[in-house]
Structure formats: structure tokens, C-alpha cells
Amino acid sequence: MDMIKLEPINTDLSHVVMDDDDDGSPTYMLGDVLQSLEDPDRTPLFLVSKTNELVQLLQRYPALKRELVLPIFGRRIQKLLLHPTKEVVAAGYRAARYAISSTDSLKAIITLRTDAMVVKSLAKGAKCNVEREQAIKFVRAYMSVPNGVEELSMGVISALVAVASQPKDLLHYVALETLTELTLFAPYKISAAGGISLLSQALANGPYELAGSIAMTFMYLLDQPSTRIYLWSGHDLESVLAAFTELQERDHFDETKVKASAGVISVLLQTWTGLFYVCMYDLRALRSLIQCFRLQLPGLRDIMMNMIFDILRIRPLGWATSFLAGRSLTTYVSTAEDLPSRQEMNSKQRALSDHYTALLLAIFLEADVLAMIVLVIQENIDAKNTRKATLLLGEVISLASKILPQRLAQCTQVLDVLFQSAAQFGTYERFPSSSAIYEIDKITKNLYRSLPDLVVQLRGEYRRESRKPELKKMKISLHFDDNYFRNLLLDTNVLNTKNYTKWNWDALIELMQGPLLNPKRLDEAIRATKFMKRLMSFYRPFKYRFSEIKRTSTNARYIKAGSVLFKTLLANPEGVKYLMENKLLRQVAECLAQLDPMSGITSAEPLFSKQRLDSTLSYGYFTLLGTLTSDPNGLAMIERWRMFNMFYHLSELTSRKDLIFALISSLDYRLDGHTRVILSKILTTSDADVRLYATSHLGTLIDYDNVSLRNWVIELLVEQLYDVDFDVCELAIKVLGEICNDGPSLDYIVKRLSNLDHLSDITAPLLLRFLSTSEGFRFLQDLNYIEKEMDEWFAHGNDDYVQLVELELAKSYLIPAAGRNMERATAVPAHFYRELVRTNEGCKLLRQKDHLRYFVEYINTHADEQDDREVLKKLKGCIWAIGNIGSLEYGAPFLEDSNVTETIVHIANHSTVWSLRGTAFFALGLISSTVEGREITDEYGWETAVTVMGQPLGLCIPANLSQFLTVPEWNSVSLLRPSGRGIYVADSEAHLKKVVTAQTESSSPS
């Protein structure tokens, strides 16, 4: 039998055909398969085939698992597991795994002594990997049923640890991953088998792909005292620092290991449990890490600076790449990536991620990170290191001025060491410092000149001089003399050659945005020179010059120049006349007609074919047409060439959705007319994916200063709430929710709404926003929504809110750096009680319901809770409710009456549950969002960042950081005992728990 060779077990059952005919039901087929497995003399190939059929039956008909007669089924499985052929044993493990449906079924299978069989299988060599792999998968099935891991014996766990401890074993990786997951369910068992120390070694030494998962498992254990005892205080996690602190040599720099350790440290510092752990013993671990900047290793320093960029969520702007490459910083050029998101521009609520980043920045400053960055600049060993350190220093200074309290922000502005070094005239050492000061000044100016972000606006630093720089530039250019105009005209090189690649496009744009806005000079350019003729000829479709240029980001400047050209011509009557008579628009109309089924004009290779739009700048003609639709004269030109008729026809082409997308995104909708009608038609008659795209585009059109456009967009979005496609409705609700940040817009939305019953629960976020105005409050009261929703939140909503917030924070911080959206700010999710206290009517209802008194009493009663997870969850929900109520002007008086802030401060400073301390920290930030709340938090020693006008930003951190970060050292429990067999294994689970209890008590101080 040992000589029989079978192919590796096939886990793909698609080739197995099961007949569902009238001759047998699934139960009959199950009985037939089990009967065929009864004969022990069958060939291994037959047994594997029949077991595959059994597995497929259990997969296709899950209800069969409950019909299994486990004693009979167990005997069949036991015979398979005792078979001498490894493929048959593997099939037996698979069948047993798929038969598990509940704790009772798992216990019945365990009675077959499967634990002993698993230990035996895992002890075999690499030739039996097919059997060993299925054995590990069987062990993983214990986690699929409630309390299943409690049934896992110590022998199996010890065998799994043995496999995981062998790096050369092919199953080493999957065994480590399984141990990591089992630790979440039964840490005392994994610790008893030596698995915790093994995972700690893997965290530092690899495999690095699992480092993040292992780190998060340790974070889970550290959160509560009851599970914290399984980790050694200051040992198990600090091992990841060894990659930085161990002796490094320039020629033996383990870059892979250091990068992996940097990733783990980043994960640790972006969770509350990891932060408190790393900051133990007066920031001992963090200070050791920061001091590694003293090692004169360019590669190590580069990794450390990248790690700090990631931890502090600093996303260098577009110009940073050229600066790091060694180019001089002269002017700021904005890119699309530098633009703040629409949510950031509209929102006035501070983001939780900003609050946490403020704390991290304060901790890094306490660990003396600025001095180490300055050291890298002064030593100037590597040019790239020096420039990156200069950029990092500028970014840190800028970030501190935005989100830190004034006392801490001022400390970052005093770079005394750098200035002292720069002032040492007569020495060469001064040049790196003086150069860094010069570059930091330019970096700071560029960061300040970047488009307005949320923090700068809230700081009150409105840059009036830069609101309309282009308009300012145009006005200045209008007054330049004739010599300047003619020289600039010659600088464009248009008059010297027809080759557009030799034209100076920057000078062209400057000319069109300045001197050519003067009617006299525009007339001169049109009549006295060939400038305008050549330029317009370049853009004519049938000249195949502009339309044949490859579609790249660099070549997009030709589209921008064309748009500026159209705007310049539309700004003067002479230009309007010239554009009206030029062949350009007529040829564009003909190209559109080639696709219009109603025009009668066809072409074998249309200029606007899908292939051309994807690969050439021919798509830019839609941008130029969009520029025309922004002006009444431009609309008249489009009307003249009957392009609107073609737009209507093209919007119905289901085969060319790319054309419809181009129309939607290019047209201007500020003027009432055909463009708005076209978009309305698309929103109601097109396919679902097109309607979804158009609905999303509506959110980008909102302009709060243009009441007509704003109201039109809101009306369309409200109509989308009645779309037959659920995704369209959901997106419309999301966009409307963003618009609700503006009070007048919210009132108009309320006026337009009638009945939302058909949308059920997905309207909840939108309806919550209605509570923020009196009109919206009355609207919801008429729907009998408020009290019903209030009772729901009181009973379950606060608990669900805890999960929502923690999930959002996890998305923001725990995604690997390579895939993380650094711009993603974790805003405070909408909370019923916060929206309720925005109006006097809501405050009155809150007093009547007396919910606040219950929240306060619950917080005061359970402030020192450390074990019961349900109580902790409810406690977090109450703290979030209090924080959200206190974050608004009308809600602050509630806190003064209840004096609950003192208890929240106590939790933030002294709770033994670290994630609960984090919740209290965020709640205090919310409370400090108002002037009254800031005064309350100041009384308890928490400093708040404010605007130049003294308005709080909702970012507060403790003035005494060391007190906040201090956590008591705990007594770790070691379950390893030497014995004749090497490792002590308890006789039973009860015995094991007694061992844990006894060792805990013996190690506790008397």
C-alpha cells in the first residue's frame, strides 16, 4: 500500500457531477456515499473520489449537516483518518471539516480522537504535506463555531507551535497565521504552548508579510488587563526596535528587515494600545528609536523619515518630488492632487484623525525628534537625506502651527541650534544650516500658498491676496505697453514656425490671459499678424494636429491653452465675431455629426471614436465646448451649428457611454438652458451606470454662492431619490448629506422632499442632518420620526455608533501604507444627539427625555470597568454621546450642569482599558470644540488649539503628557514549565485555567 502513488488531493470539485434526478434526494445520495465508504478494502482512489462527493453534497446542501447521524458518520471518517495513504487521510480531514456546523457537532467529531490524529499528522515529514495541510485546515475550522477553540487540546496547539517554529517547513507560514488567529480566541492556551513568544520572534524576524497581523493581535491582547498578562511588559513588542537599534554597518544594512520593522512600528503607533505600549517608561522605546538618527547610515535615516511621514499622515504636495530630486524651490505649482476634497472644503467639524495626529506630533516633539532632524541636516552626509530632512522639518513646523495648542506650536518655531550653526561665519559647517533655513522658509511659503485647506480656514488665516491670482494677473497685464505686448507675442514663437512643439506655451497662456484681453491688441493679433490664424488652425480637427496628439498628462497643457484661448475670444466682441466665423466650430460640429444617427453623415474613422478618445487629445474638444457653454455668446455659437440637437441624440447612444461621460463632465451648467436639460434627461433615461456617474457629478457642481445652480442641483438630487436603482438612491443621499453642511441648502432640501418611506434605513444619515435646523426639525416631527429614532438610539444606536467609529478609524489607520489614502480624514460620523442639540427645540426634547442623566450616571458608575466587554461597549457609547452633545454651543450647558467632564478626564488619564482611554480622549476633543467647552477642559489641564481669533478647533491634548501616557507595569504570566518532555502541558482545560490563576496570584504584589 505504501507504494501506491496518487496525485495531490484535488480540492476543486467542479468536475464532480451530482445528479439531482427523481431517483434520489440529497439525503438518499448522502446515505449512498456513506455506505460506499464503509468497505475498507476499496482502493485509495475510490475513497478519495467518494469523499469528494460527500464534501460537495455538504457544500451544496448545508442542511444535510444537521441530518448526519454523527456516530455512523464518525466511524466512516475515523476509517479514513486511520488509512495508511496520505491522500485518503487528507480527504478524511476535509470531510470532517465540512461536517462541522455547531459546537455539538464539533464535540462529536472530537470524540473520534481527532486531536491525536492531528498531532500525528503534523509530526510527519514534508512528503505528507497534503495530509498536514488538511490537518491545519481542520484545526482552523474550530474557529468557525462559537467557543470552538475552547475544545482545542493543548497537544494540537503544541504540535502547531512546533510546525510554526520551523522556518524551512513549507507549512511554517500557514501555521503562524493560524496561531495568530487562535490567539484572539484563547490566548492562555497559546501562551501555555509557547506560541506568544514564537509570534514575538516572528514579529521581529519574519515572515514580514504576517508582521501587521501579529502586531494587531498583540494590540488586541494589550487592550484589557485580563489579556495583557500574556505579554511581557516592555519585551514582546519592543523586539521590533532591534532592527534599528542593533549594530548597523554601511555594507551590511538589512534594508528589508528595517522597512518591515518600520511598518510594524507605524501600525503600533496608530492604535491606542500600541501608542501606550511604545510610550511606557517615559517614552523609552520611542526615544531609542528617534536616537537612531545618530547612526550615520543614509538608508536607515531615509526609512526613518519615511516612517515619520507615514505616522504623522504628512502627504507632501506635488512640488516636493522635484525638491527632493535636487531642483530649486522657486514658485508653487498646484496639481489636482493638492486640491482639498469637497467634504473638507464644506465641513466645519474637526476630523478625529487630526486630533490623534496632534497627540502623536506632541509625543514626537517630546521625544526630541526636531533635534535629530536638525542633526541630519547639520551633518550633511548624504544630499538626499539632507533635502528630505529639510522637507520633513518644514512640514512638521507647518503641521504644528495648524493643529497644536499655541504653547507647543511656538516651541517648534524656535530652531535655535540651526540658527546658531548658520551664524558661525567663517566655517564651512554653517552652509548646510543656512541653506536649510532658506529652504524651510520657501517650503513654508509654498505650504501656505497651497489652495485653502480646512485647517488653515478654521485658523482664520484667509489669504485674500491669493483668492483670484489669475484675475489680478490679468488686470496688471492689461496695462503693459505695446513693446511688452509685441515682445511677448514674439516670445511665443508662433509667428516664426507652424511647428507647435517649438511654441512657448507658457508665454502663449500668459499672452492670452493678459494683453489679448485688451480689444485693441486682440484686433491687432487677428488682423495684423498670423498669430491667431496659426493658433486656430492648430486646433481645427481636420488639420489633424491637435486631434492626433497622444493623450498624456504632459500634453494636457494643449487642452488648457485651448480653453484659455476660447475664454479670451469670448471676453471681447471682436473675438466672439472671429470665433463665430472660424472653421473650427463648424468642423467640430461635423465630427459630432459623424456619430449622430439622425444626421445622415458617417465616417469610416470618426474623430470621436472610442479608440481616438482614449488615446489622443480629441477628447479635449469636449472641454473646449464646455468652455463655450459657460458664456451666453458661446451658447449661441453651439446653437448656430445645431450641436445641442446632436448632444441630445448622443446622450441616447447606449453603445457609446464614454461620449455621454465626456458630455456630463465637460458641459457648464451655471447658465440655464440646454445643458441643464441634457443632464436632467441623462439622469432619468440613461442606463443605471450612467445615472450613477451623473449623480456623482452633481455633487461637484454645487456652488453655494450661485443660488440658482445650487437649487437646481438639489432638485435633481431629490429626484434621484426616487430612482429605480438602489445604488443611485444611496449615492444621492450621500451627496445630499454633504450639501446639508450649508444651512440654506438644507432648508431647501427639506422644502423639496415629500415622502421617503420607500428608502427605508438608508435615509437615516440624511434625516439626521435635518435635525440641525428648526424647519428640518418640524419636518421630521410631522413624520413622527424624532422620538422613535431617539428611543432607538438610546436602546441600540449608541452601541452601533461605537462600532462605526472604530471601523472608520481602522480604515484610516490600519490599512497598509502602500494602499492607504493619506488624504482620507476620519470625520466624526453623524450622531443623533449632536444633531438634536443644534436647535432649541431639540434641546428641549433632550431635557424632557432625561437621556443625558442616564448617560452621566452610567459613566460615573462604570468608569473603572476593565473586564466586561458589553459594559465597556455601552460605556464607550455613552462617552461618545456626551462628547457629541458637548461639541455644540447649545449642548455645552448640559455638561456644566452634570459635571461629567471630570469623570471623562479621569478615564482618559487612569483607565486600565487603553481603548477606553482613547474614546475619552476623542470625547474631550469634541467637548473642546466650543468656547464654553474649552474653558471646561482647560480647568482639568487640557490645552486646546485655537484660531487666530481665539475660536477653538476641537483639538485638545493634555498639558501633562507624561501623566496621560503613564500606564502601570503589569505582572506577566508565564505558563511554560520545564518537565521531562520539555514543556508543561496541563491535564485539562480547567487545570490549565487554575495554573493561570495560581501564577497570577503568586506574581501579584502582596
Side-chain angles (χ1 to χ4, degrees):
M1 187 66 71
D2 291 336
M3 300 299 294
I4 295 178
K5 292 185 179 180
L6 296 177
E7 294 295 326
I9 188 167
N10 187 359
T11 59
D12 180 12
L13 304 181
S14 59
H15 66 285
V16 181
V17 179
M18 303 296 296
D19 297 325
D20 293 334
D21 52 22
D22 297 333
D23 296 334
S25 65
T27 304
Y28 175 82
M29 289 187 288
L30 176 64
D32 182 60
V33 172
L34 290 177
Q35 185 177 3
S36 63
L37 292 174
E38 187 174 2
D39 187 357
D41 297 329
R42 293 286 189 173
T43 64
L45 184 61
F46 175 84
L47 294 176
V48 170
S49 175
K50 285 299 179 179
T51 307
N52 279 346
E53 292 184 20
L54 173 61
V55 169
Q56 190 188 33
L57 271 173
L58 296 176
Q59 284 181 313
R60 292 178 60 186
Y61 307 104
L64 286 179
K65 297 179 182 180
R66 295 190 294 270
E67 298 180 12
L68 289 173
V69 180
L70 291 176
I72 299 175
F73 175 80
R75 288 198 297 270
R76 309 293 192 276
I77 297 300
Q78 198 171 43
K79 290 180 180 179
L80 294 174
L81 295 178
L82 294 173
H83 200 279
T85 307
K86 57 181 180 292
E87 287 82 5
V88 177
V89 178
Y93 282 126
R94 292 186 66 242
R97 171 159 55 97
Y98 280 102
I100 297 174
S101 61
S102 63
T103 307
D104 291 337
S105 63
L106 176 61
K107 290 180 178 179
I109 291 176
I110 292 175
T111 60
L112 305 175
R113 305 190 64 81
T114 53
D115 287 352
M117 298 175 188
V118 169
V119 172
K120 178 182 176 182
S121 296
L122 292 179
K124 294 182 179 179
K127 292 183 179 180
C128 297
N129 273 349
V130 63
E131 175 183 338
R132 300 170 74 225
E133 177 187 348
Q134 293 301 321
I136 294 179
K137 288 184 177 182
F138 173 72
V139 172
R140 293 177 63 85
Y142 280 61
M143 294 182 281
S144 64
V145 296
N147 300 318
V149 179
E150 295 293 329
E151 306 298 327
L152 197 59
S153 71
M154 287 299 301
V156 172
I157 296 177
S158 298
L160 202 60
V161 169
V163 175
S165 62
Q166 302 296 324
K168 294 183 180 180
D169 195 317
L170 293 179
L171 298 180
H172 163 70
Y173 187 100
V174 69
L176 269 177
E177 188 173 10
T178 303
L179 279 177
T180 303
E181 296 177 30
L182 289 173
T183 304
L184 296 173
F185 293 93
Y188 62 91
K189 289 189 174 187
I190 306 302
S191 178
I196 299 291
S197 59
L198 181 64
L199 293 178
S200 179
Q201 295 173 16
L203 189 64
N205 302 320
Y208 300 123
E209 297 84 358
L210 283 180
S213 300
I214 296 174
M216 290 311 303
T217 299
F218 284 177
M219 295 304 94
Y220 174 81
L221 297 182
L222 284 170
D223 188 34
Q224 293 183 229
S226 59
T227 54
R228 198 176 299 152
I229 58 175
Y230 300 111
L231 295 175
W232 286 3
S233 176
H235 177 271
D236 282 330
L237 287 178
E238 288 188 11
S239 60
V240 298
L241 297 178
F244 290 91
T245 57
E246 64 188 8
L247 181 62
Q248 302 279 3
E249 297 181 14
R250 186 180 297 271
D251 297 332
H252 302 283
F253 178 59
D254 193 346
E255 183 177 355
T256 303
K257 183 176 181 179
V258 172
K259 281 186 176 180
S261 297
V264 173
I265 293 170
S266 179
V267 170
L268 294 180
L269 288 175
Q270 291 176 357
T271 62
W272 283 111
T273 50
L275 179 66
F276 284 117
Y277 186 90
V278 173
C279 294
M280 287 179 66
Y281 309 115
D282 191 26
L283 309 182
R284 182 183 69 185
L286 188 60
R287 293 183 194 275
S288 299
L289 177 67
I290 297 299
Q291 289 297 317
C292 290
F293 273 113
R294 295 188 180 275
L295 299 174
Q296 297 182 353
L297 298 171
L300 180 66
R301 287 176 168 179
D302 184 70
I303 293 172
M304 290 188 63
M305 285 187 283
N306 288 336
M307 180 182 65
I308 294 175
F309 273 115
D310 179 51
I311 292 172
L312 298 181
R313 300 175 65 85
I314 297 174
R315 182 185 64 89
L317 300 181
W319 46 264
T321 303
S322 60
F323 172 75
L324 293 176
R327 300 185 183 91
S328 176
L329 261 183
T330 52
T331 57
Y332 171 75
V333 180
S334 63
T335 62
E337 290 77 10
D338 298 341
L339 290 167
S341 67
R342 184 172 70 253
Q343 295 90 329
E344 290 176 334
M345 294 293 289
N346 295 338
S347 175
K348 296 181 181 179
Q349 177 66 51
R350 298 302 308 133
L352 296 178
S353 52
D354 290 334
H355 194 190
Y356 190 75
T357 300
L359 176 63
L360 283 174
L361 181 56
I363 292 172
F364 269 86
L365 294 177
E366 183 75 12
D368 215 14
V369 70
L370 288 185
M372 292 298 100
I373 298 175
V374 170
L375 177 66
V376 175
I377 295 173
Q378 288 179 317
E379 292 182 348
N380 195 27
I381 295 175
D382 181 83
K384 291 183 179 179
N385 274 176
T386 303
R387 294 186 75 83
K388 180 168 283 190
T390 303
L391 176 63
L392 178 58
L393 187 58
E395 291 276 9
V396 168
I397 293 173
S398 176
L399 183 63
S401 67
K402 294 176 182 178
I403 64 176
L404 285 185
Q406 190 172 10
R407 178 182 64 86
L408 292 175
Q410 288 175 344
C411 296
T412 64
Q413 310 299 320
V414 185
L415 301 175
D416 50 346
V417 177
L418 206 58
F419 279 99
Q420 290 174 10
S421 176
Q424 293 178 359
F425 299 98
T427 62
Y428 288 106
E429 288 77 9
R430 66 177 292 269
F431 292 113
S433 299
S434 59
S435 175
I437 293 172
Y438 174 69
E439 296 292 353
I440 289 172
D441 179 64
K442 291 194 294 184
I443 289 171
T444 304
K445 288 180 179 178
N446 272 1
L447 290 172
Y448 188 77
R449 289 168 183 162
S450 60
L451 293 174
D453 61 21
L454 178 60
V455 177
V456 173
Q457 289 184 26
L458 289 175
R459 280 284 190 185
E461 301 169 357
Y462 292 96
R463 299 181 290 281
R464 294 181 177 86
E465 72 279 3
S466 61
R467 284 183 176 178
K468 296 183 179 180
E470 293 184 2
L471 181 60
K472 186 176 180 180
K473 184 178 179 182
M474 292 176 186
K475 290 181 178 179
I476 294 175
S477 300
L478 284 172
H479 301 289
F480 287 144
D481 56 24
D482 291 340
N483 288 332
Y484 175 82
F485 165 64
R486 292 190 179 94
N487 289 335
L488 189 59
L489 192 65
L490 291 174
D491 288 344
T492 63
N493 216 29
V494 175
L495 299 179
N496 297 330
T497 178
K498 293 182 179 180
N499 188 345
Y500 69 90
T501 60
K502 296 183 179 180
W503 294 351
N504 185 340
W505 288 93
D506 293 333
L508 262 171
I509 293 176
E510 182 181 354
L511 180 67
M512 290 184 289
Q513 288 182 334
L516 288 185
L517 291 174
N518 187 310
K520 177 183 175 182
R521 288 173 179 149
L522 178 63
D523 184 68
E524 181 180 346
I526 292 174
R527 300 182 185 279
T529 69
K530 295 182 179 180
F531 173 82
M532 194 59 67
K533 180 180 178 182
R534 287 185 176 177
L535 196 57
M536 295 294 287
S537 176
F538 167 72
Y539 284 101
R540 280 164 56 183
F542 295 145
K543 289 289 185 178
Y544 295 106
R545 300 172 71 192
F546 170 78
S547 59
E548 289 297 307
I549 298 175
K550 289 185 178 180
R551 181 173 181 172
T552 64
S553 56
T554 304
N555 292 338
R557 59 177 179 165
Y558 300 126
I559 300 175
K560 178 183 177 182
S563 181
V564 172
L565 172 63
F566 274 32
K567 289 178 181 178
T568 301
L569 293 175
L570 291 171
N572 288 295
E574 189 66 29
V576 171
K577 181 180 178 182
Y578 180 78
L579 186 58
M580 181 79 77
E581 297 173 351
N582 195 273
K583 296 180 181 179
L584 173 59
L585 294 183
R586 185 178 66 189
Q587 291 186 6
V588 172
E590 185 176 344
C591 294
L592 289 172
Q594 293 173 355
L595 302 174
D596 184 1
M598 308 295 291
S599 68
I601 300 175
T602 59
S603 173
E605 295 184 5
L607 189 75
F608 294 139
S609 66
K610 190 176 189 308
Q611 185 271 332
R612 284 177 178 267
L613 287 181
D614 291 340
S615 60
T616 68
L617 292 189
S618 58
Y619 81 98
Y621 286 110
F622 289 95
T623 303
L624 302 184
L625 293 175
T627 303
L628 290 179
T629 59
S630 65
D631 186 272
N633 291 318
L635 289 172
M637 295 179 198
I638 294 178
E639 184 70 36
R640 177 189 178 188
W641 296 108
R642 302 181 182 276
M643 290 191 215
F644 280 126
N645 291 340
M646 290 181 272
F647 289 166
Y648 284 112
H649 298 155
L650 293 177
S651 67
E652 299 173 356
L653 289 180
T654 56
S655 60
R656 290 298 308 275
K657 292 180 181 179
D658 57 315
L659 281 176
I660 303 176
F661 292 154
L663 280 175
I664 293 171
S665 60
S666 300
L667 297 181
D668 192 291
Y669 303 96
R670 285 173 291 180
L671 298 176
D672 194 7
H674 285 288
T675 54
R676 293 190 179 183
V677 177
I678 290 171
L679 184 57
S680 301
K681 178 176 179 291
I682 291 173
L683 284 166
T684 54
T685 63
S686 297
D687 293 341
D689 54 341
V690 178
R691 299 199 308 275
L692 198 65
Y693 178 85
T695 304
S696 176
H697 185 67
L698 283 175
T700 66
L701 301 179
I702 197 71
D703 182 356
Y704 299 110
D705 296 327
N706 188 333
V707 178
S708 172
L709 178 62
R710 182 202 67 187
N711 291 347
W712 174 73
V713 170
I714 290 174
E715 290 169 6
L716 291 182
L717 286 170
V718 170
E719 290 178 5
Q720 293 307 97
L721 296 179
Y722 304 96
D723 194 281
V724 295
D725 188 88
F726 181 83
D727 292 336
V728 174
C729 299
E730 192 172 29
L731 181 60
I733 289 173
K734 180 181 178 182
V735 177
L736 284 171
E738 295 170 2
I739 297 175
C740 285
N741 289 314
D742 179 63
S745 300
L746 192 153
D747 289 338
Y748 191 74
I749 292 172
V750 172
K751 289 179 182 178
R752 301 297 304 180
L753 284 175
S754 56
N755 184 13
L756 297 176
D757 292 341
H758 67 291
L759 295 175
S760 63
D761 294 336
I762 68 170
T763 57
L766 180 61
L767 296 180
L768 281 182
R769 307 306 300 271
F770 289 1
L771 290 170
S772 59
T773 66
S774 296
E775 187 170 345
F777 187 92
R778 289 190 292 270
F779 172 79
L780 295 178
Q781 210 165 28
D782 293 339
L783 296 177
N784 297 320
Y785 169 83
I786 298 178
E787 293 197 15
K788 177 182 176 183
E789 187 70 10
M790 192 173 186
D791 292 337
E792 179 64 27
W793 270 80
F794 183 74
H796 308 290
N798 285 325
D799 297 346
D800 296 338
Y801 187 83
V802 173
Q803 293 182 335
L804 175 63
V805 173
E806 294 182 352
L807 178 62
E808 287 298 313
L809 288 170
K811 288 179 180 178
S812 179
Y813 283 106
L814 301 183
I815 297 174
R820 187 188 309 153
N821 183 1
M822 298 294 285
E823 301 174 23
R824 189 181 191 275
T826 309
V828 183
H831 195 288
F832 178 84
Y833 290 99
R834 182 175 76 232
E835 304 302 324
L836 188 66
V837 296
R838 290 184 184 273
T839 61
N840 288 319
E841 296 91 338
C843 292
K844 182 179 179 181
L845 180 61
L846 182 60
R847 288 190 181 92
Q848 291 175 354
K849 284 286 190 177
D850 210 22
H851 287 184
L852 184 68
R853 183 180 60 83
Y854 172 81
F855 297 150
V856 173
E857 290 179 355
Y858 198 90
I859 292 173
N860 291 333
T861 303
H862 300 282
D864 296 324
E865 179 61 45
Q866 60 182 16
D867 292 322
D868 193 321
R869 293 190 180 275
E870 288 301 319
V871 173
L872 288 172
K873 183 179 179 181
K874 196 167 190 63
L875 179 59
K876 289 179 181 179
C878 293
I879 293 175
W880 277 114
I882 292 294
N884 277 282
I885 291 172
S887 66
L888 297 175
E889 182 180 356
Y890 288 163
F894 287 99
L895 302 186
E896 294 179 352
D897 298 338
S898 64
N899 201 29
V900 69
T901 309
E902 181 179 2
T903 307
I904 297 178
V905 170
H906 170 77
I907 292 173
N909 288 330
H910 303 292
S911 176
T912 56
V913 181
W914 294 350
S915 62
L916 183 61
R917 296 176 71 172
T919 301
F921 172 85
F922 285 132
L924 290 171
L926 292 173
I927 292 172
S928 68
S929 300
T930 64
V931 176
E932 296 84 354
R934 179 196 172 195
E935 294 174 356
I936 295 174
T937 54
D938 282 348
E939 292 177 4
Y940 296 105
W942 285 62
E943 298 177 305
T944 303
V946 297
T947 69
V948 293
M949 302 301 293
Q951 292 297 315
L953 292 173
L955 304 173
C956 73
I957 59 176
N960 189 345
L961 268 179
S962 60
Q963 178 188 359
F964 175 72
L965 296 173
T966 298
V967 293
E969 187 175 358
W970 62 91
N971 296 309
S972 304
V973 174
S974 175
L975 297 181
L976 295 180
R977 291 184 178 179
S979 67
R981 292 175 294 172
I983 294 180
Y984 173 84
V985 178
D987 299 329
S988 65
E989 304 303 324
H991 185 191
L992 181 60
K993 290 182 179 179
K994 288 181 181 179
V995 172
V996 176
T997 305
Q999 292 192 3
T1000 304
E1001 293 175 351
S1002 63
S1003 59
S1004 300
S1006 57

